[in-house]
mmCIF file of all heavy atoms in Angstrom:
data_model
loop_
_atom_site.group_PDB
_atom_site.id
_atom_site.type_symbol
_atom_site.label_atom_id
_atom_site.label_comp_id
_atom_site.label_asym_id
_atom_site.label_seq_id
_atom_site.Cartn_x
_atom_site.Cartn_y
_atom_site.Cartn_z
ATOM 1 N N ASP U 1 143.805 27.264 168.875
ATOM 2 C CA ASP U 1 145.116 27.691 169.356
ATOM 3 C C ASP U 1 146.175 26.665 169.353
ATOM 4 O O ASP U 1 147.312 26.946 168.897
ATOM 5 C CB ASP U 1 144.954 28.317 170.923
ATOM 6 C CG ASP U 1 144.076 29.404 170.919
ATOM 7 O OD1 ASP U 1 143.810 30.077 169.991
ATOM 8 O OD2 ASP U 1 143.716 29.726 172.074
ATOM 9 N N GLU U 2 145.811 25.485 169.705
ATOM 10 C CA GLU U 2 146.863 24.352 169.703
ATOM 11 C C GLU U 2 147.215 23.999 168.245
ATOM 12 O O GLU U 2 148.380 23.760 167.928
ATOM 13 C CB GLU U 2 146.286 23.093 170.382
ATOM 14 C CG GLU U 2 146.080 23.262 171.898
ATOM 15 C CD GLU U 2 144.692 23.846 172.209
ATOM 16 O OE1 GLU U 2 143.902 24.108 171.310
ATOM 17 O OE2 GLU U 2 144.617 24.036 173.424
ATOM 18 N N ALA U 3 146.167 24.013 167.431
ATOM 19 C CA ALA U 3 146.413 23.659 166.003
ATOM 20 C C ALA U 3 147.299 24.842 165.286
ATOM 21 O O ALA U 3 148.142 24.480 164.593
ATOM 22 C CB ALA U 3 145.060 23.412 165.188
ATOM 23 N N THR U 4 146.922 26.098 165.656
ATOM 24 C CA THR U 4 147.780 27.163 165.098
ATOM 25 C C THR U 4 149.181 27.145 165.417
ATOM 26 O O THR U 4 150.132 27.304 164.672
ATOM 27 C CB THR U 4 147.153 28.502 165.484
ATOM 28 O OG1 THR U 4 145.774 28.493 164.979
ATOM 29 C CG2 THR U 4 147.915 29.698 164.935
ATOM 30 N N SER U 5 149.449 26.791 166.713
ATOM 31 C CA SER U 5 150.849 26.581 167.189
ATOM 32 C C SER U 5 151.616 25.577 166.410
ATOM 33 O O SER U 5 152.643 25.631 165.899
ATOM 34 C CB SER U 5 150.931 26.205 168.600
ATOM 35 O OG SER U 5 152.175 25.923 169.078
ATOM 36 N N GLN U 6 150.846 24.399 166.120
ATOM 37 C CA GLN U 6 151.422 23.356 165.342
ATOM 38 C C GLN U 6 151.595 23.683 163.871
ATOM 39 O O GLN U 6 152.544 23.344 163.236
ATOM 40 C CB GLN U 6 150.482 22.078 165.429
ATOM 41 C CG GLN U 6 151.118 20.923 164.709
ATOM 42 C CD GLN U 6 150.177 19.726 164.953
ATOM 43 O OE1 GLN U 6 148.965 19.722 165.024
ATOM 44 N NE2 GLN U 6 150.817 18.411 164.903
ATOM 45 N N VAL U 7 150.598 24.505 163.293
ATOM 46 C CA VAL U 7 150.703 24.967 161.941
ATOM 47 C C VAL U 7 151.936 25.843 161.796
ATOM 48 O O VAL U 7 152.712 25.684 160.692
ATOM 49 C CB VAL U 7 149.429 25.683 161.544
ATOM 50 C CG1 VAL U 7 149.651 26.516 160.331
ATOM 51 C CG2 VAL U 7 148.288 24.707 161.342
ATOM 52 N N ILE U 8 152.249 26.704 162.765
ATOM 53 C CA ILE U 8 153.460 27.614 162.590
ATOM 54 C C ILE U 8 154.653 26.767 162.689
ATOM 55 O O ILE U 8 155.628 27.044 161.907
ATOM 56 C CB ILE U 8 153.355 28.643 163.694
ATOM 57 C CG1 ILE U 8 152.170 29.547 163.492
ATOM 58 C CG2 ILE U 8 154.671 29.454 163.836
ATOM 59 C CD1 ILE U 8 151.893 30.592 164.653
ATOM 60 N N PHE U 9 154.695 25.805 163.567
ATOM 61 C CA PHE U 9 155.897 24.983 163.590
ATOM 62 C C PHE U 9 156.132 24.144 162.282
ATOM 63 O O PHE U 9 157.158 24.027 161.717
ATOM 64 C CB PHE U 9 155.747 23.944 164.736
ATOM 65 C CG PHE U 9 157.004 23.001 164.838
ATOM 66 C CD1 PHE U 9 158.211 23.369 165.242
ATOM 67 C CD2 PHE U 9 156.720 21.711 164.483
ATOM 68 C CE1 PHE U 9 159.298 22.540 165.210
ATOM 69 C CE2 PHE U 9 157.810 20.749 164.522
ATOM 70 C CZ PHE U 9 159.160 21.221 164.895
ATOM 71 N N ALA U 10 154.953 23.597 161.779
ATOM 72 C CA ALA U 10 155.023 22.742 160.565
ATOM 73 C C ALA U 10 155.474 23.672 159.377
ATOM 74 O O ALA U 10 156.245 23.208 158.479
ATOM 75 C CB ALA U 10 153.689 22.011 160.262
ATOM 76 N N PHE U 11 154.996 24.896 159.353
ATOM 77 C CA PHE U 11 155.462 25.743 158.262
ATOM 78 C C PHE U 11 156.863 25.990 158.319
ATOM 79 O O PHE U 11 157.650 25.921 157.343
ATOM 80 C CB PHE U 11 154.716 27.186 158.464
ATOM 81 C CG PHE U 11 155.255 28.285 157.619
ATOM 82 C CD1 PHE U 11 155.163 28.297 156.231
ATOM 83 C CD2 PHE U 11 156.008 29.298 158.185
ATOM 84 C CE1 PHE U 11 155.750 29.353 155.456
ATOM 85 C CE2 PHE U 11 156.486 30.262 157.389
ATOM 86 C CZ PHE U 11 156.500 30.330 156.004
ATOM 87 N N SER U 12 157.414 26.285 159.569
ATOM 88 C CA SER U 12 158.827 26.571 159.759
ATOM 89 C C SER U 12 159.659 25.423 159.441
ATOM 90 O O SER U 12 160.624 25.411 158.560
ATOM 91 C CB SER U 12 159.114 26.903 161.152
ATOM 92 O OG SER U 12 158.380 28.070 161.593
ATOM 93 N N ILE U 13 159.301 24.273 159.903
ATOM 94 C CA ILE U 13 159.983 22.933 159.533
ATOM 95 C C ILE U 13 159.891 22.614 158.164
ATOM 96 O O ILE U 13 160.780 22.031 157.472
ATOM 97 C CB ILE U 13 159.691 21.836 160.568
ATOM 98 C CG1 ILE U 13 160.803 20.868 160.757
ATOM 99 C CG2 ILE U 13 158.459 21.142 160.128
ATOM 100 C CD1 ILE U 13 162.055 21.457 161.565
ATOM 101 N N GLY U 14 158.760 22.927 157.547
ATOM 102 C CA GLY U 14 158.533 22.718 156.035
ATOM 103 C C GLY U 14 159.449 23.482 155.254
ATOM 104 O O GLY U 14 160.046 22.970 154.200
ATOM 105 N N ILE U 15 159.778 24.754 155.546
ATOM 106 C CA ILE U 15 160.806 25.440 154.842
ATOM 107 C C ILE U 15 162.259 24.794 155.006
ATOM 108 O O ILE U 15 162.989 24.676 154.067
ATOM 109 C CB ILE U 15 160.893 27.055 155.356
ATOM 110 C CG1 ILE U 15 159.611 27.615 154.864
ATOM 111 C CG2 ILE U 15 162.150 27.646 154.730
ATOM 112 C CD1 ILE U 15 159.503 29.094 155.262
ATOM 113 N N PHE U 16 162.499 24.300 156.223
ATOM 114 C CA PHE U 16 163.774 23.612 156.436
ATOM 115 C C PHE U 16 163.903 22.369 155.630
ATOM 116 O O PHE U 16 164.877 22.129 154.888
ATOM 117 C CB PHE U 16 163.930 23.274 157.896
ATOM 118 C CG PHE U 16 165.070 22.474 158.233
ATOM 119 C CD1 PHE U 16 166.336 23.023 158.419
ATOM 120 C CD2 PHE U 16 165.088 21.032 158.331
ATOM 121 C CE1 PHE U 16 167.508 22.296 158.638
ATOM 122 C CE2 PHE U 16 166.208 20.249 158.519
ATOM 123 C CZ PHE U 16 167.372 20.885 158.686
ATOM 124 N N PHE U 17 162.789 21.581 155.598
ATOM 125 C CA PHE U 17 162.844 20.287 154.696
ATOM 126 C C PHE U 17 162.916 20.601 153.201
ATOM 127 O O PHE U 17 163.551 19.920 152.482
ATOM 128 C CB PHE U 17 161.601 19.464 155.111
ATOM 129 C CG PHE U 17 161.651 18.823 156.439
ATOM 130 C CD1 PHE U 17 160.523 18.794 157.174
ATOM 131 C CD2 PHE U 17 162.846 18.278 156.917
ATOM 132 C CE1 PHE U 17 160.617 18.069 158.437
ATOM 133 C CE2 PHE U 17 162.840 17.707 158.100
ATOM 134 C CZ PHE U 17 161.718 17.640 158.977
ATOM 135 N N CYS U 18 162.270 21.647 152.805
ATOM 136 C CA CYS U 18 162.356 22.051 151.315
ATOM 137 C C CYS U 18 163.783 22.442 151.079
ATOM 138 O O CYS U 18 164.354 21.968 150.049
ATOM 139 C CB CYS U 18 161.462 23.248 151.096
ATOM 140 S SG CYS U 18 159.731 22.824 150.955
ATOM 141 N N GLY U 19 164.356 23.306 151.900
ATOM 142 C CA GLY U 19 165.755 23.622 151.768
ATOM 143 C C GLY U 19 166.659 22.395 151.712
ATOM 144 O O GLY U 19 167.618 22.282 150.843
ATOM 145 N N LEU U 20 166.442 21.472 152.621
ATOM 146 C CA LEU U 20 167.298 20.286 152.656
ATOM 147 C C LEU U 20 167.086 19.420 151.397
ATOM 148 O O LEU U 20 168.099 18.906 150.832
ATOM 149 C CB LEU U 20 166.807 19.455 153.878
ATOM 150 C CG LEU U 20 167.714 18.175 154.137
ATOM 151 C CD1 LEU U 20 169.106 18.518 154.482
ATOM 152 C CD2 LEU U 20 166.996 17.445 155.343
ATOM 153 N N PHE U 21 165.879 19.323 150.886
ATOM 154 C CA PHE U 21 165.587 18.633 149.671
ATOM 155 C C PHE U 21 166.337 19.219 148.555
ATOM 156 O O PHE U 21 167.009 18.567 147.662
ATOM 157 C CB PHE U 21 164.127 18.567 149.533
ATOM 158 C CG PHE U 21 163.658 17.958 148.080
ATOM 159 C CD1 PHE U 21 164.277 16.912 147.671
ATOM 160 C CD2 PHE U 21 162.617 18.534 147.496
ATOM 161 C CE1 PHE U 21 163.859 16.253 146.452
ATOM 162 C CE2 PHE U 21 162.122 18.002 146.283
ATOM 163 C CZ PHE U 21 162.743 16.810 145.775
ATOM 164 N N LEU U 22 166.191 20.546 148.394
ATOM 165 C CA LEU U 22 166.946 21.154 147.306
ATOM 166 C C LEU U 22 168.484 21.157 147.373
ATOM 167 O O LEU U 22 169.202 20.959 146.429
ATOM 168 C CB LEU U 22 166.477 22.680 147.141
ATOM 169 C CG LEU U 22 165.064 22.809 146.800
ATOM 170 C CD1 LEU U 22 164.610 24.321 146.887
ATOM 171 C CD2 LEU U 22 164.817 22.372 145.286
ATOM 172 N N ARG U 23 168.946 21.267 148.610
ATOM 173 C CA ARG U 23 170.415 21.324 148.922
ATOM 174 C C ARG U 23 171.032 19.975 148.577
ATOM 175 O O ARG U 23 172.149 19.856 147.995
ATOM 176 C CB ARG U 23 170.688 21.783 150.276
ATOM 177 C CG ARG U 23 172.137 21.882 150.640
ATOM 178 C CD ARG U 23 172.732 23.044 149.940
ATOM 179 N NE ARG U 23 174.068 23.173 150.380
ATOM 180 C CZ ARG U 23 175.116 23.198 149.509
ATOM 181 N NH1 ARG U 23 174.962 23.078 148.222
ATOM 182 N NH2 ARG U 23 176.381 23.299 149.966
ATOM 183 N N THR U 24 170.399 18.853 148.989
ATOM 184 C CA THR U 24 170.978 17.561 148.818
ATOM 185 C C THR U 24 170.507 16.995 147.517
ATOM 186 O O THR U 24 171.198 16.085 146.996
ATOM 187 C CB THR U 24 170.458 16.656 149.938
ATOM 188 O OG1 THR U 24 168.993 16.497 149.875
ATOM 189 C CG2 THR U 24 170.911 17.057 151.329
ATOM 190 N N GLY U 25 169.443 17.515 146.907
ATOM 191 C CA GLY U 25 168.958 16.881 145.688
ATOM 192 C C GLY U 25 168.307 15.493 145.816
ATOM 193 O O GLY U 25 168.012 14.883 144.874
ATOM 194 N N ASN U 26 167.953 15.154 147.131
ATOM 195 C CA ASN U 26 167.413 13.908 147.449
ATOM 196 C C ASN U 26 166.367 14.073 148.459
ATOM 197 O O ASN U 26 166.567 14.546 149.569
ATOM 198 C CB ASN U 26 168.636 13.056 147.999
ATOM 199 C CG ASN U 26 168.198 11.603 148.167
ATOM 200 O OD1 ASN U 26 166.967 11.326 148.302
ATOM 201 N ND2 ASN U 26 169.192 10.728 148.252
ATOM 202 N N ILE U 27 165.217 13.550 148.083
ATOM 203 C CA ILE U 27 164.123 13.610 149.059
ATOM 204 C C ILE U 27 164.180 12.718 150.267
ATOM 205 O O ILE U 27 163.594 12.957 151.318
ATOM 206 C CB ILE U 27 162.695 13.326 148.297
ATOM 207 C CG1 ILE U 27 161.511 13.763 149.149
ATOM 208 C CG2 ILE U 27 162.549 11.894 147.929
ATOM 209 C CD1 ILE U 27 160.598 14.747 148.575
ATOM 210 N N LEU U 28 165.055 11.728 150.080
ATOM 211 C CA LEU U 28 165.140 10.818 151.157
ATOM 212 C C LEU U 28 165.592 11.331 152.455
ATOM 213 O O LEU U 28 165.301 11.093 153.612
ATOM 214 C CB LEU U 28 166.211 9.561 150.757
ATOM 215 C CG LEU U 28 166.255 8.510 151.649
ATOM 216 C CD1 LEU U 28 164.856 7.779 151.985
ATOM 217 C CD2 LEU U 28 167.272 7.466 151.204
ATOM 218 N N SER U 29 166.487 12.443 152.318
ATOM 219 C CA SER U 29 167.093 13.062 153.553
ATOM 220 C C SER U 29 165.888 13.804 154.415
ATOM 221 O O SER U 29 165.892 13.654 155.530
ATOM 222 C CB SER U 29 168.150 13.994 153.188
ATOM 223 O OG SER U 29 167.736 14.979 152.252
ATOM 224 N N SER U 30 165.063 14.411 153.632
ATOM 225 C CA SER U 30 163.849 15.014 154.230
ATOM 226 C C SER U 30 162.969 14.030 154.871
ATOM 227 O O SER U 30 162.483 14.208 155.941
ATOM 228 C CB SER U 30 163.084 15.816 153.275
ATOM 229 O OG SER U 30 163.751 17.003 152.756
ATOM 230 N N ILE U 31 162.645 12.883 154.236
ATOM 231 C CA ILE U 31 161.857 11.806 154.745
ATOM 232 C C ILE U 31 162.434 11.293 156.009
ATOM 233 O O ILE U 31 161.730 11.114 156.969
ATOM 234 C CB ILE U 31 161.632 10.837 153.661
ATOM 235 C CG1 ILE U 31 160.810 11.354 152.507
ATOM 236 C CG2 ILE U 31 160.975 9.555 154.279
ATOM 237 C CD1 ILE U 31 160.729 10.400 151.299
ATOM 238 N N LEU U 32 163.726 11.026 156.023
ATOM 239 C CA LEU U 32 164.343 10.406 157.203
ATOM 240 C C LEU U 32 164.355 11.327 158.402
ATOM 241 O O LEU U 32 164.104 10.898 159.508
ATOM 242 C CB LEU U 32 165.824 9.936 156.904
ATOM 243 C CG LEU U 32 165.917 8.767 155.869
ATOM 244 C CD1 LEU U 32 167.344 8.573 155.421
ATOM 245 C CD2 LEU U 32 165.263 7.543 156.580
ATOM 246 N N ILE U 33 164.656 12.596 158.209
ATOM 247 C CA ILE U 33 164.693 13.507 159.312
ATOM 248 C C ILE U 33 163.219 13.839 159.845
ATOM 249 O O ILE U 33 162.951 13.865 161.015
ATOM 250 C CB ILE U 33 165.445 14.824 158.909
ATOM 251 C CG1 ILE U 33 166.808 14.461 158.719
ATOM 252 C CG2 ILE U 33 165.239 15.897 160.085
ATOM 253 C CD1 ILE U 33 167.744 15.674 158.212
ATOM 254 N N HIS U 34 162.270 13.960 158.956
ATOM 255 C CA HIS U 34 160.937 14.107 159.327
ATOM 256 C C HIS U 34 160.388 12.899 160.119
ATOM 257 O O HIS U 34 159.770 13.040 161.107
ATOM 258 C CB HIS U 34 159.999 14.341 158.025
ATOM 259 C CG HIS U 34 158.656 14.837 158.439
ATOM 260 N ND1 HIS U 34 157.696 13.842 158.916
ATOM 261 C CD2 HIS U 34 158.031 15.973 158.320
ATOM 262 C CE1 HIS U 34 156.489 14.560 159.205
ATOM 263 N NE2 HIS U 34 156.720 15.798 158.772
ATOM 264 N N SER U 35 160.779 11.723 159.685
ATOM 265 C CA SER U 35 160.384 10.451 160.448
ATOM 266 C C SER U 35 161.032 10.477 161.781
ATOM 267 O O SER U 35 160.458 10.073 162.756
ATOM 268 C CB SER U 35 160.787 9.264 159.627
ATOM 269 O OG SER U 35 160.178 9.194 158.362
ATOM 270 N N ALA U 36 162.325 10.922 161.902
ATOM 271 C CA ALA U 36 163.011 10.953 163.122
ATOM 272 C C ALA U 36 162.221 11.849 164.126
ATOM 273 O O ALA U 36 162.131 11.577 165.291
ATOM 274 C CB ALA U 36 164.399 11.345 163.016
ATOM 275 N N PHE U 37 161.893 13.046 163.613
ATOM 276 C CA PHE U 37 161.152 14.061 164.472
ATOM 277 C C PHE U 37 159.780 13.370 164.991
ATOM 278 O O PHE U 37 159.509 13.460 166.142
ATOM 279 C CB PHE U 37 160.766 15.244 163.602
ATOM 280 C CG PHE U 37 161.702 16.395 163.628
ATOM 281 C CD1 PHE U 37 163.099 16.095 163.347
ATOM 282 C CD2 PHE U 37 161.321 17.635 163.809
ATOM 283 C CE1 PHE U 37 164.037 17.175 163.356
ATOM 284 C CE2 PHE U 37 162.253 18.713 163.765
ATOM 285 C CZ PHE U 37 163.570 18.429 163.599
ATOM 286 N N ASN U 38 159.091 12.789 163.990
ATOM 287 C CA ASN U 38 157.794 12.173 164.451
ATOM 288 C C ASN U 38 158.055 11.014 165.474
ATOM 289 O O ASN U 38 157.301 10.843 166.343
ATOM 290 C CB ASN U 38 157.012 11.624 163.205
ATOM 291 C CG ASN U 38 156.511 12.669 162.364
ATOM 292 O OD1 ASN U 38 156.473 13.922 162.732
ATOM 293 N ND2 ASN U 38 156.034 12.359 161.147
ATOM 294 N N PHE U 39 159.058 10.196 165.244
ATOM 295 C CA PHE U 39 159.324 9.153 166.160
ATOM 296 C C PHE U 39 159.743 9.747 167.591
ATOM 297 O O PHE U 39 159.272 9.165 168.532
ATOM 298 C CB PHE U 39 160.551 8.271 165.567
ATOM 299 C CG PHE U 39 160.921 7.131 166.435
ATOM 300 C CD1 PHE U 39 160.064 6.011 166.481
ATOM 301 C CD2 PHE U 39 162.036 7.160 167.178
ATOM 302 C CE1 PHE U 39 160.483 4.852 167.358
ATOM 303 C CE2 PHE U 39 162.351 6.120 168.132
ATOM 304 C CZ PHE U 39 161.553 5.064 168.114
ATOM 305 N N ALA U 40 160.662 10.789 167.488
ATOM 306 C CA ALA U 40 161.037 11.267 168.798
ATOM 307 C C ALA U 40 159.870 11.847 169.575
ATOM 308 O O ALA U 40 159.661 11.580 170.787
ATOM 309 C CB ALA U 40 162.169 12.335 168.555
ATOM 310 N N PHE U 41 159.102 12.657 168.938
ATOM 311 C CA PHE U 41 157.891 13.228 169.626
ATOM 312 C C PHE U 41 156.910 12.128 170.014
ATOM 313 O O PHE U 41 156.305 12.149 171.076
ATOM 314 C CB PHE U 41 157.171 14.357 168.826
ATOM 315 C CG PHE U 41 157.968 15.576 168.740
ATOM 316 C CD1 PHE U 41 158.424 16.007 167.482
ATOM 317 C CD2 PHE U 41 158.307 16.336 169.818
ATOM 318 C CE1 PHE U 41 159.145 17.306 167.365
ATOM 319 C CE2 PHE U 41 158.961 17.501 169.727
ATOM 320 C CZ PHE U 41 159.446 17.957 168.472
ATOM 321 N N GLY U 42 156.655 11.149 169.102
ATOM 322 C CA GLY U 42 155.735 9.993 169.446
ATOM 323 C C GLY U 42 156.138 9.166 170.663
ATOM 324 O O GLY U 42 155.410 8.823 171.506
ATOM 325 N N THR U 43 157.493 8.853 170.577
ATOM 326 C CA THR U 43 157.943 8.031 171.781
ATOM 327 C C THR U 43 157.875 8.775 173.110
ATOM 328 O O THR U 43 157.714 8.163 174.087
ATOM 329 C CB THR U 43 159.443 7.506 171.453
ATOM 330 O OG1 THR U 43 160.287 8.533 171.211
ATOM 331 C CG2 THR U 43 159.407 6.484 170.273
ATOM 332 N N GLU U 44 158.146 10.053 173.060
ATOM 333 C CA GLU U 44 157.983 10.870 174.259
ATOM 334 C C GLU U 44 156.618 10.828 174.869
ATOM 335 O O GLU U 44 156.419 10.740 176.018
ATOM 336 C CB GLU U 44 158.490 12.267 173.995
ATOM 337 C CG GLU U 44 158.315 13.212 175.183
ATOM 338 C CD GLU U 44 158.639 14.718 174.866
ATOM 339 O OE1 GLU U 44 159.051 14.968 173.830
ATOM 340 O OE2 GLU U 44 158.404 15.448 175.738
ATOM 341 N N ILE U 45 155.714 10.988 173.890
ATOM 342 C CA ILE U 45 154.291 10.894 174.399
ATOM 343 C C ILE U 45 153.859 9.573 174.867
ATOM 344 O O ILE U 45 153.284 9.456 175.889
ATOM 345 C CB ILE U 45 153.346 11.460 173.235
ATOM 346 C CG1 ILE U 45 153.554 12.950 172.875
ATOM 347 C CG2 ILE U 45 151.874 11.223 173.518
ATOM 348 C CD1 ILE U 45 152.898 13.426 171.704
ATOM 349 N N LEU U 46 154.304 8.566 174.195
ATOM 350 C CA LEU U 46 154.000 7.187 174.628
ATOM 351 C C LEU U 46 154.632 6.889 175.924
ATOM 352 O O LEU U 46 154.042 6.206 176.833
ATOM 353 C CB LEU U 46 154.502 6.151 173.590
ATOM 354 C CG LEU U 46 153.591 6.110 172.274
ATOM 355 C CD1 LEU U 46 154.252 5.137 171.329
ATOM 356 C CD2 LEU U 46 152.210 5.826 172.514
ATOM 357 N N GLU U 47 155.790 7.367 176.234
ATOM 358 C CA GLU U 47 156.522 7.156 177.513
ATOM 359 C C GLU U 47 155.712 7.809 178.530
ATOM 360 O O GLU U 47 155.610 7.239 179.644
ATOM 361 C CB GLU U 47 157.950 7.617 177.444
ATOM 362 C CG GLU U 47 158.744 7.405 178.644
ATOM 363 C CD GLU U 47 159.020 5.949 178.948
ATOM 364 O OE1 GLU U 47 159.083 5.201 177.974
ATOM 365 O OE2 GLU U 47 159.158 5.474 180.011
#
């Protein structure tokens, strides 16, 4: 159940990142925003 929730979120955000990659023509924008998401969620858990 927990994994499925994460899979649905990852699918949704994956579409967003693909769109961002295609719109900007640069993969770096997707990488930076994805990293910011992971950092934000990770620091919240660590706190």
Side-chain angles (χ1 to χ4, degrees):
D1 292 347
E2 294 86 4
T4 300
S5 176
Q6 188 179 28
V7 165
I8 294 168
F9 177 73
F11 166 72
S12 303
I13 206 74
I15 289 177
F16 175 84
F17 288 138
C18 285
L20 185 64
F21 175 40
L22 291 172
R23 182 75 176 119
T24 63
N26 186 339
I27 192 128
L28 188 59
S29 56
S30 292
I31 292 170
L32 290 174
I33 293 175
H34 191 285
S35 298
F37 271 48
N38 288 351
F39 179 77
F41 287 118
T43 54
E44 177 186 351
I45 290 169
L46 289 175
E47 184 67 28

